[in-house]
Amino acid sequence: MSNVTCGQKAATTNYTVAMGRIVGGNRAAPGSWPWLVLLKLNGNVMCGGVLVHHSWIMTAAHCFTGNRNENYWQVVVGEYDLKKQGTEERILQINRIITHPKFNQRTFNNDIALLELTVPIAISEHVNFVCLPESIGELPPGTMCYIAGWGSLYEDGPYADVLIEAKVPLLGQSTCRSALGKELVTSQMFCAGYLSGNVDSCQGDSGGPLTCIDPVSKQYYLYGITSWGDGCGQPGKPGVYSRVPSFINWINNEIKKSPGSREPTCFDFHKLSEMQDAQRKSEVTRLCAFYHRFCPPLLGPTACSRCIEEKCRGKMKKCQLGTFLQKLLDLLHPVEEFIRIRDSFSFFTETIPKFMENIYTNIFPSQGQHLAKHEKGCQSINESLLNVSLLMDEYKWILSIPIEKLSMRFQEVLVDMTSKNEKGLFKARVKATVGGRLATFNSLVGLENDSFYRSMARVIGQALDVLQT
Ligand code: ARG
């Protein structure tokens, strides 16, 4: 990786406009943080991220606890004002999400992830990668560094529209531990901010950079990844960052891996559809060769190539299923407005991905993450394929409906207020137009925020059922 151009800001960005916050920060000048990217899930702002290479983004692993399917994520580079379409703004797709293998969801230890882009990014005035701290070692407490992001302006507050930055000092490990709790702060983390509070990162800033400047070369180095905190900007509660220098070996190893040593991605398989027959055949062979390593040691060559083929086809089918489910999700988009009015995206960002994950794990019990357990692998694939085709058949009717017919409008929801059940749901009669047709059906709906969203999946499902007849 060339270190010549890393960590340099656009020449014209040497000012900041006071106003707004990360928490207690300032509006950044456009192009100030050319390595900062925005991560969106289904179009919603979720996290920050950092360009560390032409094809690689670094971010926090916890950003993917709700959904780690590459299809649903987008990377925006050159972003500045979320409300305006900037000329430097580009939307990129993710080929592969690699969360740190030792990331602990409970403790947030090793909260770091690498995202491989489907195409390398073009470097420009407002889009550049940051320097990795290969050799800068530990920086002393008190070193002033920078955080930036589009996250909340205060605890539980709204997200920022315009990129916000703040200057924060690094804190020593013992200060950090006594502020936040000895057991909670591991050596893979560090704190930055003020014990007096006020200046801090906040929700939505996760995965974004904490960068420090090399006083000699004036280049910016990535020292931390925004990870967690106790509230935002509270006195005595500095922000916690993943300690990037501790992960340098892991990062370099992942970035350097040869193409043949990684599992082919859904994007790789998807590209096959654009190829001519002959080229496609050789590409399939090339991609599938990866699965050779899962042939049990004593298997003969024919059996082994059959095993490779099955494994590879299993992965291809899994990708097709992913595309299919995404289409299903797209079908639900017409009701998004309705959910948006209710002020929450959790239905799209949590309920549906969870539902999909369940489908995945039921269909592929011994695949995916558990590839290494090849003992059970091959027989289960046929079974999986059967399940996939059953599911495809079952839902064929959805795919054959023209998209424009798939709007859903609620007309009336009559609730029997005396019918509250133990889950807090009420009996209701729902009247809605689905794809232009009036549907009336009985359902259970929640009336409080939380129970309302939980009940929505069922209501939409029931409404969709109407399309079948
Ligand atoms: N976990 C948060 C997120 O997902 C980041 C919180 C940072 N909090 C703090 N007080 N520094 O966006």
Side-chain angles (χ1 to χ4, degrees):
M1 191 189 322
S2 110
N3 255 1
V4 190
T5 54
C6 72
Q8 264 154 9
K9 289 185 173 199
T12 51
T13 55
N14 240 343
Y15 67 93
T16 57
V17 185
M19 242 172 84
R21 293 139 282 211
I22 246 195
V23 172
N26 293 311
R27 232 174 217 251
S32 309
W33 307 106
W35 40 85
L36 177 60
V37 306
L38 183 65
L39 298 183
K40 290 185 172 180
L41 175 63
N42 294 312
N44 303 312
V45 173
M46 289 299 282
C47 276
V50 200
L51 259 179
V52 292
H53 178 273
H54 290 99
S55 302
W56 293 91
I57 306 281
M58 201 186 298
T59 183
H62 82 256
C63 296
F64 304 97
T65 23
N67 184 324
R68 53 168 304 137
N69 181 332
E70 289 86 358
N71 274 328
Y72 296 91
W73 289 88
Q74 288 177 321
V75 174
V76 191
V77 299
E79 179 60 279
Y80 177 67
D81 184 338
L82 303 186
K83 289 259 160 73
K84 289 190 191 134
Q85 177 71 38
T87 51
E88 299 271 343
E89 216 175 302
R90 300 278 176 282
I91 296 178
L92 308 171
Q93 301 300 328
I94 298 173
N95 182 39
R96 191 189 301 275
I97 298 174
I98 307 174
T99 47
H100 194 282
K102 294 210 175 117
F103 167 58
N104 184 324
Q105 258 187 58
R106 200 176 49 79
T107 61
F108 273 31
N109 200 22
N110 304 303
D111 189 12
I112 195 160
L114 280 165
L115 313 178
E116 187 186 23
L117 300 171
T118 55
V119 283
I121 178 106
I123 298 306
S124 70
E125 170 95 341
H126 288 220
V127 179
N128 190 10
F129 44 85
V130 74
C131 304
L132 285 174
E134 312 270 356
S135 54
I136 65 170
E138 292 281 298
L139 293 174
T143 307
M144 295 305 284
C145 297
Y146 298 87
I147 52 176
W150 291 270
S152 298
L153 300 172
Y154 47 91
E155 207 174 327
D156 296 322
Y159 279 20
D161 286 338
V162 170
L163 180 58
I164 303 295
E165 64 183 22
K167 201 171 174 181
V168 286
L170 302 181
L171 299 178
Q173 209 65 354
S174 55
T175 316
C176 181
R177 290 204 161 122
S178 47
L180 296 171
K182 216 162 118 232
E183 336 66 53
L184 301 183
V185 180
T186 70
S187 52
Q188 265 64 254
M189 309 170 184
F190 69 88
C191 284
Y194 298 89
L195 291 178
S196 54
N198 293 324
V199 185
D200 196 7
S201 45
C202 201
Q203 258 54 51
D205 292 320
S206 281
L210 178 139
T211 42
C212 313
I213 193 164
D214 176 338
V216 180
S217 70
K218 301 279 185 250
Q219 285 166 303
Y220 285 81
Y221 282 84
L222 181 63
Y223 198 70
I225 292 286
T226 305
S227 178
W228 61 276
D230 182 349
C232 303
Q234 301 268 5
K237 306 288 177 196
V240 184
Y241 300 79
S242 303
R243 188 181 286 277
V244 176
S246 310
F247 297 104
I248 282 294
N249 288 338
W250 177 71
I251 296 164
N252 284 334
N253 264 333
E254 286 299 337
I255 292 184
K256 287 203 304 267
K257 271 188 186 165
S258 68
S261 64
R262 296 186 213 270
E263 189 178 12
T265 63
C266 290
F267 183 77
D268 293 330
F269 286 120
H270 189 74
K271 274 191 298 193
L272 293 174
S273 61
E274 293 151 23
M275 293 176 187
Q276 307 284 332
D277 264 5
Q279 193 194 3
R280 182 185 308 144
K281 274 220 181 83
S282 74
E283 183 64 3
V284 168
T285 317
R286 196 183 67 81
L287 292 175
C288 292
F290 167 85
Y291 295 97
H292 193 270
R293 70 197 62 201
F294 299 112
C295 276
L298 296 174
L299 220 54
T302 335
C304 182
S305 56
R306 191 173 317 127
C307 177
I308 293 173
E309 205 186 306
E310 286 199 350
K311 287 248 182 240
C312 198
R313 194 173 302 147
K315 170 74 184 184
M316 264 191 252
K317 288 283 172 191
K318 187 173 172 177
C319 293
Q320 279 175 11
L321 180 65
T323 318
F324 167 70
L325 288 174
Q326 191 170 17
K327 286 193 180 141
L328 202 62
L329 184 67
D330 290 344
L331 299 185
L332 291 172
H333 256 297
V335 291
E336 192 189 21
E337 262 317 303
F338 175 75
I339 291 160
R340 195 199 303 274
I341 295 167
R342 300 295 177 139
D343 220 11
S344 162
F345 294 108
S346 65
F347 177 71
F348 282 94
T349 56
E350 282 165 44
T351 316
I352 292 189
K354 286 251 163 63
F355 161 75
M356 290 181 174
E357 210 174 280
N358 287 343
I359 295 186
Y360 275 133
T361 39
N362 289 336
I363 293 186
F364 301 100
S366 60
Q367 271 213 290
Q369 301 251 326
H370 310 292
L371 264 178
K373 295 180 187 159
H374 53 69
E375 309 86 62
K376 288 185 279 165
C378 288
Q379 299 98 305
S380 69
I381 288 180
N382 284 327
E383 208 184 298
S384 306
L385 287 181
L386 185 67
N387 285 335
V388 172
S389 59
L390 286 180
L391 188 89
M392 291 282 215
D393 262 344
E394 191 183 339
Y395 285 100
K396 229 197 235 130
W397 57 271
I398 296 190
L399 294 180
S400 60
I401 297 169
I403 294 284
E404 64 275 12
K405 286 209 173 158
L406 286 164
S407 65
M408 175 166 173
R409 199 155 287 140
F410 287 87
Q411 311 221 309
E412 190 177 59
V413 181
L414 291 176
V415 179
D416 174 359
M417 296 302 287
T418 63
S419 65
K420 189 170 183 175
N421 70 10
E422 73 286 356
K423 288 191 178 140
L425 302 178
F426 297 81
K427 285 187 186 155
R429 184 138 188 91
V430 181
K431 228 189 215 181
T433 11
V434 186
R437 249 191 281 169
L438 187 67
T440 310
F441 53 91
N442 293 323
S443 191
L444 289 171
V445 296
L447 295 182
E448 278 106 54
N449 242 347
D450 198 15
S451 56
F452 170 78
Y453 296 120
R454 270 187 286 116
S455 65
M456 241 20 234
R458 181 208 317 258
V459 175
I460 293 169
Q462 282 178 308
L464 280 175
D465 266 345
V466 176
L467 291 172
Q468 271 190 90
T469 52

